[in-house]
Amino acid sequence: MRQSRITAGACSLLLAAACAYAGPATAQQAPRTASGGYVALGDSYSSGVGAGDYLESGKECKRSSRAYPVLWSEAHAPATFSFAACNGAGVKDVLADQLGHLSARTGLVTLTVGGHDSGFVTVLATCALGGADRCRSAVSRARATMDGSLAADLDRLYTAVRGRAPAARVVVLGYPHLYHLSGTCALGLPDGERAVLNDAVDHLNGVLARRAAAHGFTFADVTAAFAGHEICSASPWLHSVDVLAVTESYHPTAPGQSLGYLRVLDGVS
């Protein structure tokens, strides 16, 4: 039994209005401690949307005290810590608003960005409203964007990051699969569309990994860490669509930040 398309569509339209969603590769070495300062850049997956306990400063960015950058900083005590990541940020937002935190003294930079630029919010709404054929078409368009304009924008961003933080180790973290297939969900999208969305995430991660490697950055894949904890799993670390808190839909919970993202960042060695 599935939730009606009308209900799913309403949720996704709300999500499209309020939420930015925001390909595995072998990670290169990254430090367990930061020599110098640590700067956390990126979108809602780095700011901690969905994890709760949001900080009073910069409320519009929904930065959480439970986000993986905060947890990493608390555990490793870098010389300085700048939490610049912001809900809804795309590549151009990071370029325009976040790079001022970088300097020659920056020792570590972490970054998630690309989901918003790929049009994932539109894809999610289309998959809920339009059926399998329209869902696949939307994903195909998003993949073309990833391979085209997003890849070019990432090159510009990564070049700018290196220019402002020439000595830093830069870790680009990817995105988890959204859905656990053949899982516990009785409502919502069918597994066919869920699989298509997971494949789109893999494609995005592949683009991120290749562009990161081209600039000498580390790519950290989180899909294995989240395996068994996607939406529709018995113990999800991602929020499903919530009409009462639409901004948090499709974002990691506090365990997703600590047991997913933080564990991957800590374990890259």
Side-chain angles (χ1 to χ4, degrees):
M1 177 180 178
R2 299 203 312 261
Q3 182 183 29
S4 71
R5 289 281 181 187
I6 294 174
T7 302
C11 292
S12 291
L13 289 174
L14 283 170
L15 176 62
C19 168
Y21 174 80
T26 302
Q28 305 166 27
Q29 267 199 337
R32 288 185 176 275
T33 58
S35 175
Y38 168 33
V39 179
L41 306 174
D43 59 16
S44 53
Y45 272 61
S46 285
S47 72
V49 171
D53 284 346
Y54 300 113
L55 304 175
E56 286 297 317
S57 60
K59 283 186 176 181
E60 70 284 355
C61 286
K62 293 186 74 72
R63 298 184 184 112
S64 171
S65 63
R66 298 176 179 177
Y68 77 84
V70 176
L71 300 178
W72 195 95
S73 178
E74 290 173 349
H76 297 278
T80 58
F81 171 50
S82 296
F83 194 10
C86 190
N87 178 45
V91 172
K92 293 177 182 178
D93 298 305
V94 176
L95 274 165
D97 303 328
Q98 298 183 20
L99 299 191
H101 295 268
L102 302 174
S103 73
R105 295 183 296 277
T106 302
L108 174 66
V109 178
T110 61
L111 173 65
T112 61
V113 73
H116 181 75
D117 305 83
S118 303
F120 243 101
V121 172
T122 300
V123 169
L124 291 167
T126 301
C127 288
L129 286 168
D133 289 343
R134 289 186 63 193
C135 180
R136 292 178 187 278
S137 295
V139 167
S140 179
R141 290 191 295 272
R143 288 164 67 109
T145 299
M146 295 171 196
D147 293 334
S149 60
L150 174 60
D153 286 344
L154 288 171
D155 282 333
R156 284 191 284 273
L157 173 60
Y158 294 168
T159 298
V161 168
R162 175 53 69 220
R164 287 177 173 262
R169 297 296 302 272
V170 182
V171 180
V172 176
L173 294 102
Y175 297 91
H177 285 163
L178 296 177
Y179 285 102
H180 183 75
L181 303 182
S182 302
T184 60
C185 291
L187 306 174
L189 296 173
D191 269 0
E193 277 106 312
R194 290 170 181 164
V196 167
L197 290 171
N198 285 349
D199 288 345
V201 172
D202 285 339
H203 194 84
L204 173 57
N205 284 338
V207 171
L208 296 173
R210 289 189 294 274
R211 300 330 307 148
H215 291 263
F217 296 168
T218 298
F219 177 74
D221 182 14
V222 301
T223 54
F226 277 80
H229 298 285
E230 307 92 341
I231 298 167
C232 298
S233 67
S235 178
W237 293 349
L238 291 160
H239 292 280
S240 185
V241 175
D242 184 348
V243 295
L244 299 179
V246 290
T247 304
E248 302 197 350
S249 303
Y250 293 111
H251 284 83
T253 62
Q257 288 285 332
S258 62
L259 301 177
Y261 273 94
L262 178 63
R263 183 175 291 175
V264 168
L265 180 58
D266 250 351
V268 174
S269 60

